[in-house]
Amino acid sequence: MSSTFGSHFKISTWGESHGAGVGVVIDGCPPGVSLSREMIQQALDRRRPGQSDIVTPRQEADEVEILSGVLDGTTLGTPIALSVRNKDHRSSAYDEMQHIYRPSHADYCYDAKYGIRAWAGGGRASARETIGRVAAGAVAEAVVRRLCPDVAVIGWVEQVHTIVCPVRPEEVNAAVVESNIVRTADAESAAKMAAAIREARSQGDSLGGIVACTVRNCPVGLGDPVFDKLEATLAHAMLSIPACKGFEVGSGFTAPRYRGSEHNDAFYMEGERVRTRTNFSGGIQGGISNGEDINMRLAFKPTATLMLEQDTVNDAHQEVRLRGKGRHDACVLPRAVPVVEAMVWLVLCEHLLHQRALRLN
Amino acid sequence: MSSTFGSHFKISTWGESHGAGVGVVIDGCPPGVSLSREMIQQALDRRRPGQSDIVTPRQEADEVEILSGVLDGTTLGTPIALSVRNKDHRSSAYDEMQHIYRPSHADYCYDAKYGIRAWAGGGRASARETIGRVAAGAVAEAVVRRLCPDVAVIGWVEQVHTIVCPVRPEEVNAAVVESNIVRTADAESAAKMAAAIREARSQGDSLGGIVACTVRNCPVGLGDPVFDKLEATLAHAMLSIPACKGFEVGSGFTAPRYRGSEHNDAFYMEGERVRTRTNFSGGIQGGISNGEDINMRLAFKPTATLMLEQDTVNDAHQEVRLRGKGRHDACVLPRAVPVVEAMVWLVLCEHLLHQRALRLN
Amino acid sequence: MSSTFGSHFKISTWGESHGAGVGVVIDGCPPGVSLSREMIQQALDRRRPGQSDIVTPRQEADEVEILSGVLDGTTLGTPIALSVRNKDHRSSAYDEMQHIYRPSHADYCYDAKYGIRAWAGGGRASARETIGRVAAGAVAEAVVRRLCPDVAVIGWVEQVHTIVCPVRPEEVNAAVVESNIVRTADAESAAKMAAAIREARSQGDSLGGIVACTVRNCPVGLGDPVFDKLEATLAHAMLSIPACKGFEVGSGFTAPRYRGSEHNDAFYMEGERVRTRTNFSGGIQGGISNGEDINMRLAFKPTATLMLEQDTVNDAHQEVRLRGKGRHDACVLPRAVPVVEAMVWLVLCEHLLHQRALRLN
Amino acid sequence: MSSTFGSHFKISTWGESHGAGVGVVIDGCPPGVSLSREMIQQALDRRRPGQSDIVTPRQEADEVEILSGVLDGTTLGTPIALSVRNKDHRSSAYDEMQHIYRPSHADYCYDAKYGIRAWAGGGRASARETIGRVAAGAVAEAVVRRLCPDVAVIGWVEQVHTIVCPVRPEEVNAAVVESNIVRTADAESAAKMAAAIREARSQGDSLGGIVACTVRNCPVGLGDPVFDKLEATLAHAMLSIPACKGFEVGSGFTAPRYRGSEHNDAFYMEGERVRTRTNFSGGIQGGISNGEDINMRLAFKPTATLMLEQDTVNDAHQEVRLRGKGRHDACVLPRAVPVVEAMVWLVLCEHLLHQRALRLN
């Protein structure tokens, strides 16, 4: 298992859904950065279960404890250990799943790969695993903003099932996103999406969608060709999020529609600053940020665990029927937004520290 | 710069487009694998310039030399150094570009990041950089096939501009793909695509498209949650390829269209083998291969270097006009196919070796 | 700060001496290994303070909690998080040291490097940091012994100040070592060493010495030339232990005394097994274990924190006098033995997993 | 095999003794550093065979070619590939060794580990492997000196067999070292040592010794506790050098002789600078450089390949007699000095770049 991410700002997450807790150790955080428990708790509150009626009702306060690496509100440069205890886990709901593989979930593959599986709650394959990411992302954000105070990372739900929020990336307002329980970019879409999620849930079914994310005021020069291009590490980060099936940056999968003469982003000068007239590149050229907004989109599949009866097999390799139990999100997207943002902060922090090591003057 | 990829099967590529040559060092290749110069050369021949009239006419035989790590056709377990000399580079074609930034190319960002740039031929931002990948991919293929002889990796051009090849992944025939100069999956699409590429080139313009790739007979259990899930390392690999703007696996960006009850892949037994009725998962569940075909798609933007006049700026930050020179692909996709396949082999090899270390019985 | 060690069996330790606790996350432990809390606790009990009258009287039970990665006594293949709470820390003893640098301690360098320092208890520079190593070492031991049940790692105190224990490595008996509070290899030496330590402590002074360690029944083939030779990763591991000033393997610093004709270890056959007549190589040739005992020695300096008045400077760069307070080991060696052994297990585990990935048949 | 060293300034060496050549790829070199072929060649000339009558007579000019990463004498920030062709290899001298294991050489262990071995010339286990290290070290030196122009790394032969050069580290003069073929620190010792080496060679025998090395004007703050302490990465680097059996820093193996009150290095102020009255610490405290001279010593065993008949076994596991052939150093120490210095430069460069990433102000 590889639960380590990053090279300079290196995080190691841990924890099963129904074990003692979940958390992360961050190795390589620079010293002298202001960091409080509240900064991390706020980030976790945005992903925690039970925050609205359209997400899983599991009741977890997800209170974080800083175990090391911080003294009097300032990072020491030593490893930062963050821990969240599991409280409201009801393993009994999983009794049936101990031997039966949920379709499109990780159950079968974990058994095949490891020969053993923490069946209760999904173990590491639970969305609960993302707590460590979000906690570490809050620390990464603190580091990046210390160095580049204007950088903003804004994620939002652009689509749920067939409902598309029409707001363009450059017009998205973070306060609006945070003001609705779906975390989409306008109130009208929010109402429609919430209704769709409630309906799917009432049917025991689930929905997927698109999360979009934009980075504003990113410094020029982040990204490390040829293998750790900025879009490559972002893609790695995003496809590691549970249920993510696709990633695109800038024009993405619409790029083939254009000829080069239409798609190229013409450079011009805006005062002292090199700008581009269009932004098909999505803020990245040659694997390196060019200072324009970094625009990306992620596809999420509908949640695999359903309250409907499904055909499947068990670990004795017999064909059986399964009806899911437990408390699950009928749509992960509202809670995926802070996870996506956290992964972006982690990627930006990594490249920013690398660039500081690299550039001598 | 990060020109290193992989952890067990670790490759370090090197070389500028107009320097002495390009190549790769592979550290961590298991000993005892049959490997000949011809195996590597054949892979390189598939990506080399000048192989047909729809790719760049730069004449490069791209002859590879094995400098170390192989004795009498067998790997030693020591680093394998592979080198290709540059022959037909005409730096004079780039004189104008020494100070002018090509729109949507890496020129500006390299200058901003590194403060210096190998302007002739694009340096490391040239597609020539991918020679090291393809050479290393041929070695990775030899390792994987030694352990799992049935694994097949088949890439093809699914779309050029608006022309879509209708062949489904499970029906794609590798021999057909290799029989046409576009590397698409049927002759009719090939003819249309080739015509479109010729037309674009004659106009000094360029085209993008989609490369699809399928892995057949992949062993169950590859991929390392939570951060190095199989789809995450594939995404990393793919987005590191020049001009790639998007990656999806399985249902990808179509996933949101479905409800969970439609999208889940029901398990069933086929003899002793656990199979799925559908394959929206694209052969990967919970970040781990499940034995079904691994299906992925990559979006490529149209080539940035055009033979048309464009608005841009120079390194003195003046707005200027630029008309491209040099010899370029009007469409990179036919030559991108072997690069995509090479990256898939590298990812498979990495996970396969990791799994061998991990699983004790 | 680099608190991560290993590549396959990767550990990340955390924790300050006077913070909430200390611990470690292990990423990459194979699944299916028997592991109990008791196995880890036993290892920690061997290094804990207060275990005898010749070590620091700080009272810490050092009770470990397994937070993740283990289900019903078996490893899951997921990250194993281990945590120990700090209990008996008295920061008031360190008030004076908040601004004064202890001679030959890490205080000045931490301030110079990080610009901030967890002054109470030495932070990460405290020997308390080694708890994470010992806990992880117990897990590594379980993995290695699962694969190679006969491997034994035995450390002992060979020298304290000028008192040398005369027992030869091949004659050292682990039970004898564990039966005396100094952890040396015979009772007579133990008595002398304990007396020397008590005398030094009564004078407010401290002593150093030599820890020796032998690995018996190590499989042939561990170690990864050219940079991760077995002796190189052992040296890395050992010199990272607080107060260690030197490392040697086999003949070590006595090697120059011999001519090649005297120093070469002649091969001979013992049944089916290739053996050497002598073992100047210390069980490692060309960076790879040869199956003979791996013999190594480590030099430890006397503890830096003294109860005597010393000349030093403060963080305002004024010359001052300092008399140490707090509870410290007058000689770290008895408690260093389990730390040395833990680092050896970690190194063996790393190479063993690597070798499994590498060797195809 | 692990032929990669470093994380920020990452080198991958390659090449067998009797293959096409040897070399290195450096990934992560900062851009904008002045670097010429001559700088690298000079370093290689100090380690090349045939430079005097006391080293191996193999005739190799060891001419280095820069294949990438440098433009007009300045580094590009892209991978720097350096290659040296093998010229004077006579594999016939090794015919007998194809199946016979040289005592105390890597032959047996390579066969046991890899199942295959480049028997001619020792393959990667040849001292020829160190060419990549020395070439990369020259680049690391250029980077370090660009940032810290006053840093000096001076290695010398302190002992050959029983002959000890009495010059103290702080008195060693680099010009004197370079003026004698042994690379020791005074002319009288040089004469004695050269005579001893010639005598051993005439007998078909070999000698070991001690190489010492000092770093002057090292900036304060290099080294990354807890695992990548400066002495730990130095130890790793040094023990990876062929024939090295031990490493010590500062007081090293003499540390146990002292009580803490004798061994502690009292701090005092020298103008604005924090200094220590003594330097038992060897310039490193808590794993971090303190600005004093970094003093280290390395033990080297006598060369394993002898021109005398020895008892050994062959790869059919029969006991046989072997008399070495080929051209070898009767004493590797004069040529080891530039290798030791190169590894020190690589370690310093790594830590220096890491510190730049870490420290925010």
Side-chain angles (χ1 to χ4, degrees):
Chain A
M1 172 155 288
S2 291
S3 291
T4 307
F5 188 78
S7 169
H8 293 77
F9 191 90
K10 200 180 314 184
I11 72 170
S12 294
T13 66
W14 55 270
E16 273 79 38
S17 174
H18 287 204
V22 292
V24 64
V25 175
I26 303 163
D27 192 24
C29 181
V33 177
S34 293
L35 184 71
S36 66
R37 204 196 75 85
E38 289 64 39
M39 292 161 73
I40 302 168
Q41 190 61 55
Q42 277 176 22
L44 290 176
D45 288 346
R46 294 179 67 218
R47 83 153 287 292
R48 80 177 176 82
Q51 62 183 271
S52 77
D53 76 307
I54 59 168
V55 304
T56 171
R58 178 169 169 172
Q59 285 303 324
E60 290 280 7
D62 286 347
E63 287 185 8
V64 69
E65 184 181 11
I66 302 178
L67 296 169
S68 70
V70 180
L71 184 70
D72 299 336
T74 304
T75 61
L76 285 164
T78 61
I80 299 173
L82 305 174
S83 170
V84 167
R85 291 276 163 172
N86 292 332
K87 301 232 163 112
D88 181 28
H89 48 88
R90 304 179 193 165
S91 298
S92 61
Y94 286 85
D95 280 352
E96 197 180 358
M97 297 183 209
Q98 181 168 5
H99 298 291
I100 300 184
Y101 300 138
R102 283 169 289 173
S104 288
H105 210 289
D107 301 340
Y108 164 61
C109 287
Y110 266 63
D111 256 9
K113 181 180 185 69
Y114 300 106
I116 185 174
R117 172 171 60 97
W119 49 272
R124 285 295 280 167
S126 161
R128 201 151 177 76
E129 167 264 311
T130 60
I131 285 178
R133 303 173 184 239
V134 171
V139 181
E141 177 180 352
V143 173
V144 174
R145 293 176 76 115
R146 160 69 188 280
L147 290 164
C148 309
D150 295 332
V151 176
V153 174
I154 304 171
W156 70 98
V157 176
E158 190 187 270
Q159 184 176 336
V160 168
H161 199 211
T162 57
I163 305 160
V164 178
C165 168
V167 182
R168 294 162 49 87
E170 57 270 31
E171 293 159 358
V172 170
N173 179 309
V176 172
V177 172
E178 220 45 33
S179 70
N180 67 77
I181 57 175
V182 185
R183 289 204 174 85
T184 189
D186 66 23
E188 192 181 331
S189 303
K192 289 184 200 163
M193 289 172 175
I197 294 169
R198 289 186 190 107
E199 189 202 20
R201 191 186 50 195
S202 70
Q203 297 164 345
D205 215 332
S206 67
L207 300 179
I210 305 279
V211 172
C213 188
T214 191
V215 182
R216 295 179 185 156
N217 304 315
C218 182
V220 182
L222 302 194
D224 294 287
V226 298
F227 292 116
D228 293 343
K229 288 175 174 170
L230 185 49
E231 63 269 52
T233 43
L234 284 169
H236 188 145
M238 296 308 152
L239 266 295
S240 77
I241 298 174
C244 181
K245 301 298 288 179
F247 168 85
E248 61 180 19
V249 63
S251 57
F253 278 92
T254 72
R257 298 180 197 164
Y258 303 94
R259 291 168 172 271
S261 55
E262 300 161 332
H263 189 273
N264 275 0
D265 296 316
F267 284 116
Y268 72 101
M269 296 304 304
E270 185 183 73
E272 296 298 298
R273 193 175 148 210
V274 174
R275 298 290 313 270
T276 66
R277 297 269 177 213
T278 49
N279 189 15
F280 288 103
S281 300
I284 306 175
Q285 291 175 333
I288 300 165
S289 61
N290 68 358
E292 304 294 324
D293 289 353
I294 299 173
N295 295 321
M296 64 195 101
R297 294 170 78 247
L298 292 79
F300 282 87
K301 68 170 185 172
T303 317
T305 307
L306 306 180
M307 302 301 115
L308 297 169
E309 209 171 78
Q310 300 175 82
D311 285 326
T312 188
V313 301
N314 63 21
D315 59 11
H317 287 188
Q318 298 162 317
E319 298 185 348
V320 294
R321 301 274 291 169
L322 171 75
R323 178 188 291 271
K325 287 180 191 160
R327 294 154 298 171
H328 301 276
D329 293 273
C331 178
V332 298
L333 280 85
R335 293 176 61 209
V337 167
V339 179
V340 168
E341 292 174 358
M343 295 308 297
V344 173
W345 284 116
L346 287 167
V347 168
L348 293 178
C349 186
E350 175 71 19
H351 285 293
L352 192 56
L353 296 185
H354 185 67
Q355 178 67 0
R356 291 172 57 85
L358 188 74
R359 191 67 189 273
L360 301 189
N361 49 13
Chain B
M1 172 155 289
S2 292
S3 291
T4 308
F5 188 77
S7 167
H8 293 79
F9 191 90
K10 200 179 315 185
I11 72 169
S12 294
T13 68
W14 56 270
E16 273 78 39
S17 174
H18 285 205
V22 292
V24 64
V25 175
I26 302 163
D27 191 25
C29 182
V33 177
S34 293
L35 184 71
S36 67
R37 205 196 75 85
E38 289 63 39
M39 291 160 75
I40 303 167
Q41 189 63 52
Q42 277 175 22
L44 290 175
D45 288 348
R46 293 179 68 219
R47 78 153 290 293
R48 79 175 176 83
Q51 63 184 271
S52 79
D53 76 307
I54 60 166
V55 304
T56 170
R58 180 170 167 169
Q59 285 305 322
E60 290 281 4
D62 286 345
E63 287 184 8
V64 68
E65 183 180 13
I66 301 178
L67 296 169
S68 69
V70 181
L71 183 70
D72 300 335
T74 305
T75 61
L76 286 164
T78 61
I80 300 173
L82 304 174
S83 169
V84 168
R85 291 276 163 174
N86 293 331
K87 301 233 162 112
D88 182 26
H89 49 89
R90 305 179 192 165
S91 298
S92 61
Y94 286 84
D95 281 353
E96 196 180 359
M97 297 184 212
Q98 181 168 6
H99 298 292
I100 300 183
Y101 299 138
R102 283 170 290 173
S104 287
H105 211 290
D107 302 340
Y108 163 62
C109 287
Y110 266 64
D111 255 10
K113 181 179 185 69
Y114 300 106
I116 185 173
R117 175 170 57 97
W119 50 270
R124 288 292 281 166
S126 162
R128 202 154 176 74
E129 167 263 312
T130 60
I131 284 178
R133 302 174 184 239
V134 170
V139 181
E141 178 180 352
V143 174
V144 174
R145 294 175 75 114
R146 160 70 187 281
L147 290 164
C148 310
D150 297 331
V151 178
V153 174
I154 304 171
W156 70 99
V157 175
E158 189 187 89
Q159 183 176 336
V160 167
H161 199 210
T162 57
I163 305 159
V164 177
C165 168
V167 182
R168 292 163 49 88
E170 56 273 29
E171 294 160 357
V172 170
N173 181 309
V176 172
V177 173
E178 220 43 36
S179 72
N180 67 78
I181 57 175
V182 184
R183 290 204 175 83
T184 188
D186 67 23
E188 191 180 332
S189 302
K192 289 185 202 164
M193 289 173 176
I197 294 169
R198 289 186 189 105
E199 189 200 19
R201 191 185 50 196
S202 73
Q203 296 164 345
D205 214 334
S206 66
L207 300 178
I210 305 279
V211 172
C213 188
T214 192
V215 182
R216 295 178 186 157
N217 303 317
C218 181
V220 182
L222 302 193
D224 294 287
V226 299
F227 291 116
D228 293 343
K229 288 176 173 168
L230 185 50
E231 65 269 52
T233 42
L234 285 169
H236 189 145
M238 296 308 152
L239 266 295
S240 78
I241 299 173
C244 180
K245 301 297 287 179
F247 168 85
E248 61 180 18
V249 63
S251 57
F253 278 93
T254 71
R257 296 181 199 164
Y258 303 94
R259 291 170 172 271
S261 55
E262 301 162 331
H263 188 273
N264 275 1
D265 296 317
F267 284 115
Y268 72 102
M269 295 305 305
E270 186 184 74
E272 296 298 299
R273 191 174 150 211
V274 175
R275 297 289 314 269
T276 65
R277 296 267 176 214
T278 50
N279 190 14
F280 288 104
S281 299
I284 306 175
Q285 291 174 333
I288 300 165
S289 60
N290 67 359
E292 303 295 323
D293 290 353
I294 299 173
N295 294 321
M296 64 197 102
R297 296 170 77 246
L298 293 79
F300 282 88
K301 66 169 188 172
T303 318
T305 309
L306 306 180
M307 302 300 116
L308 298 170
E309 207 169 81
Q310 301 174 81
D311 285 326
T312 189
V313 300
N314 63 19
D315 60 10
H317 287 189
Q318 298 161 319
E319 298 184 347
V320 295
R321 300 276 290 171
L322 170 76
R323 178 188 290 273
K325 287 180 190 159
R327 295 154 299 171
H328 302 277
D329 293 273
C331 178
V332 297
L333 279 84
R335 294 175 61 211
V337 167
V339 179
V340 168
E341 292 174 357
M343 294 309 295
V344 172
W345 284 116
L346 288 166
V347 167
L348 293 178
C349 186
E350 175 70 20
H351 285 293
L352 192 57
L353 296 185
H354 185 66
Q355 178 67 359
R356 292 172 54 86
L358 188 72
R359 190 68 188 272
L360 301 190
N361 48 13
Chain C
M1 176 155 286
S2 291
S3 291
T4 308
F5 187 78
S7 168
H8 293 79
F9 190 90
K10 199 181 314 185
I11 73 169
S12 293
T13 66
W14 55 269
E16 272 78 40
S17 175
H18 286 203
V22 292
V24 64
V25 175
I26 303 163
D27 192 25
C29 180
V33 177
S34 293
L35 185 71
S36 65
R37 204 195 76 83
E38 288 62 40
M39 291 160 74
I40 303 167
Q41 189 63 53
Q42 277 175 21
L44 289 176
D45 289 347
R46 294 179 68 220
R47 80 153 290 292
R48 81 175 176 82
Q51 62 184 270
S52 77
D53 76 307
I54 60 167
V55 305
T56 169
R58 179 169 167 172
Q59 283 305 322
E60 291 279 7
D62 286 345
E63 288 186 6
V64 68
E65 185 181 12
I66 302 179
L67 295 169
S68 70
V70 180
L71 184 69
D72 300 335
T74 305
T75 62
L76 286 163
T78 60
I80 299 172
L82 304 174
S83 170
V84 168
R85 291 276 163 172
N86 292 332
K87 300 231 162 115
D88 180 27
H89 48 88
R90 306 184 191 159
S91 298
S92 60
Y94 287 84
D95 281 353
E96 195 181 1
M97 299 185 209
Q98 182 167 6
H99 299 289
I100 300 184
Y101 300 139
R102 283 171 289 173
S104 287
H105 210 289
D107 302 339
Y108 164 62
C109 287
Y110 266 64
D111 255 11
K113 180 178 185 69
Y114 299 108
I116 185 173
R117 172 170 59 98
W119 50 271
R124 288 293 280 168
S126 162
R128 205 154 172 74
E129 168 265 310
T130 59
I131 285 178
R133 304 174 183 238
V134 171
V139 181
E141 177 180 352
V143 173
V144 173
R145 293 176 76 114
R146 159 70 188 278
L147 291 164
C148 309
D150 296 332
V151 177
V153 174
I154 303 170
W156 70 97
V157 175
E158 191 186 89
Q159 182 176 339
V160 168
H161 199 209
T162 55
I163 306 160
V164 178
C165 168
V167 183
R168 292 163 49 88
E170 56 273 28
E171 294 160 358
V172 171
N173 180 307
V176 172
V177 173
E178 218 46 33
S179 70
N180 66 79
I181 57 175
V182 184
R183 289 202 175 85
T184 189
D186 65 23
E188 191 180 331
S189 302
K192 288 186 203 161
M193 290 173 176
I197 295 170
R198 288 186 190 108
E199 188 201 19
R201 191 185 49 197
S202 72
Q203 297 164 343
D205 214 333
S206 67
L207 301 179
I210 305 279
V211 172
C213 188
T214 191
V215 182
R216 295 181 185 154
N217 303 314
C218 181
V220 182
L222 301 194
D224 295 286
V226 297
F227 292 116
D228 293 342
K229 289 175 175 168
L230 185 48
E231 65 268 50
T233 43
L234 285 170
H236 188 146
M238 295 310 151
L239 266 295
S240 77
I241 297 175
C244 181
K245 302 298 289 179
F247 169 84
E248 61 180 16
V249 64
S251 57
F253 277 91
T254 70
R257 299 181 198 163
Y258 303 93
R259 293 171 170 269
S261 54
E262 301 161 327
H263 189 273
N264 276 0
D265 295 317
F267 285 116
Y268 73 103
M269 296 305 304
E270 184 183 76
E272 296 297 298
R273 195 174 147 211
V274 175
R275 297 290 313 269
T276 64
R277 297 266 176 214
T278 48
N279 190 16
F280 289 103
S281 299
I284 306 174
Q285 291 175 333
I288 300 166
S289 60
N290 68 358
E292 303 296 324
D293 289 353
I294 299 173
N295 295 321
M296 64 197 100
R297 295 170 80 248
L298 294 78
F300 283 87
K301 67 170 187 174
T303 317
T305 308
L306 306 181
M307 300 302 114
L308 298 170
E309 207 170 80
Q310 300 174 82
D311 285 325
T312 188
V313 301
N314 64 18
D315 59 11
H317 287 190
Q318 297 162 315
E319 299 185 347
V320 294
R321 300 275 290 171
L322 171 75
R323 177 188 292 271
K325 288 180 191 162
R327 294 155 298 171
H328 302 276
D329 292 273
C331 177
V332 297
L333 279 86
R335 295 176 60 210
V337 167
V339 179
V340 167
E341 291 174 358
M343 294 309 296
V344 172
W345 284 115
L346 288 166
V347 167
L348 293 178
C349 186
E350 175 71 19
H351 285 292
L352 191 57
L353 296 184
H354 185 67
Q355 178 66 358
R356 291 172 57 86
L358 188 75
R359 190 66 189 273
L360 302 189
N361 49 13
Chain D
M1 173 155 288
S2 292
S3 292
T4 307
F5 188 78
S7 169
H8 294 79
F9 191 90
K10 199 179 316 184
I11 73 169
S12 294
T13 67
W14 55 269
E16 273 78 40
S17 175
H18 286 204
V22 291
V24 63
V25 175
I26 303 163
D27 191 24
C29 181
V33 177
S34 293
L35 185 71
S36 65
R37 204 195 76 84
E38 287 65 36
M39 290 160 74
I40 303 166
Q41 191 61 56
Q42 278 176 22
L44 290 175
D45 288 348
R46 296 179 67 220
R47 82 152 286 294
R48 80 175 177 83
Q51 61 184 274
S52 77
D53 77 309
I54 59 168
V55 304
T56 170
R58 180 170 167 169
Q59 284 303 324
E60 290 281 6
D62 286 345
E63 288 186 7
V64 67
E65 183 180 13
I66 301 178
L67 296 169
S68 70
V70 180
L71 185 69
D72 301 335
T74 305
T75 61
L76 285 163
T78 62
I80 300 172
L82 305 174
S83 170
V84 168
R85 292 276 163 174
N86 292 333
K87 301 230 160 115
D88 180 26
H89 48 89
R90 305 182 191 162
S91 299
S92 60
Y94 287 85
D95 281 353
E96 196 180 359
M97 298 185 213
Q98 182 168 5
H99 298 291
I100 300 184
Y101 301 138
R102 284 169 288 174
S104 288
H105 210 289
D107 300 341
Y108 164 63
C109 287
Y110 266 64
D111 256 10
K113 180 179 187 69
Y114 300 108
I116 186 172
R117 174 170 58 99
W119 49 272
R124 287 293 279 166
S126 162
R128 202 152 174 75
E129 167 264 312
T130 59
I131 286 178
R133 303 174 185 237
V134 170
V139 181
E141 178 180 352
V143 173
V144 173
R145 293 176 76 114
R146 161 69 187 281
L147 291 164
C148 310
D150 295 332
V151 178
V153 174
I154 304 170
W156 71 98
V157 175
E158 191 187 88
Q159 182 176 339
V160 167
H161 199 209
T162 55
I163 305 160
V164 178
C165 167
V167 182
R168 293 162 49 87
E170 57 271 30
E171 293 161 358
V172 169
N173 180 309
V176 172
V177 173
E178 220 45 35
S179 71
N180 67 78
I181 56 175
V182 185
R183 289 203 175 87
T184 188
D186 66 22
E188 191 180 332
S189 303
K192 290 185 201 164
M193 290 173 175
I197 295 169
R198 287 185 191 107
E199 188 201 17
R201 190 184 52 197
S202 71
Q203 297 163 344
D205 215 331
S206 66
L207 300 179
I210 305 279
V211 172
C213 187
T214 192
V215 182
R216 295 179 185 157
N217 304 316
C218 182
V220 182
L222 301 193
D224 293 288
V226 297
F227 292 116
D228 293 343
K229 289 174 175 169
L230 185 48
E231 64 268 51
T233 43
L234 284 169
H236 188 146
M238 296 310 152
L239 267 294
S240 77
I241 298 174
C244 180
K245 302 297 288 178
F247 169 84
E248 61 180 16
V249 62
S251 56
F253 278 92
T254 70
R257 296 181 200 165
Y258 303 93
R259 294 170 170 269
S261 54
E262 299 162 331
H263 188 274
N264 275 1
D265 296 317
F267 284 116
Y268 72 101
M269 296 305 304
E270 184 183 75
E272 296 298 299
R273 196 175 147 209
V274 175
R275 299 288 313 270
T276 64
R277 297 266 176 214
T278 49
N279 189 16
F280 288 102
S281 299
I284 305 175
Q285 292 175 333
I288 300 166
S289 61
N290 67 359
E292 303 296 323
D293 289 354
I294 299 173
N295 295 321
M296 64 197 101
R297 297 169 77 248
L298 292 79
F300 282 87
K301 68 169 186 174
T303 317
T305 309
L306 306 180
M307 301 301 115
L308 298 169
E309 208 170 77
Q310 301 175 82
D311 285 325
T312 188
V313 301
N314 64 19
D315 58 12
H317 287 189
Q318 298 162 316
E319 298 185 348
V320 294
R321 299 275 293 170
L322 171 75
R323 178 189 292 272
K325 289 180 189 161
R327 296 155 296 172
H328 302 276
D329 293 272
C331 178
V332 297
L333 279 86
R335 292 176 62 210
V337 167
V339 179
V340 167
E341 291 174 357
M343 294 309 295
V344 172
W345 285 114
L346 288 166
V347 168
L348 293 178
C349 187
E350 176 70 18
H351 284 292
L352 192 57
L353 296 184
H354 184 67
Q355 177 67 359
R356 292 173 56 86
L358 187 75
R359 189 68 188 272
L360 302 189
N361 48 13

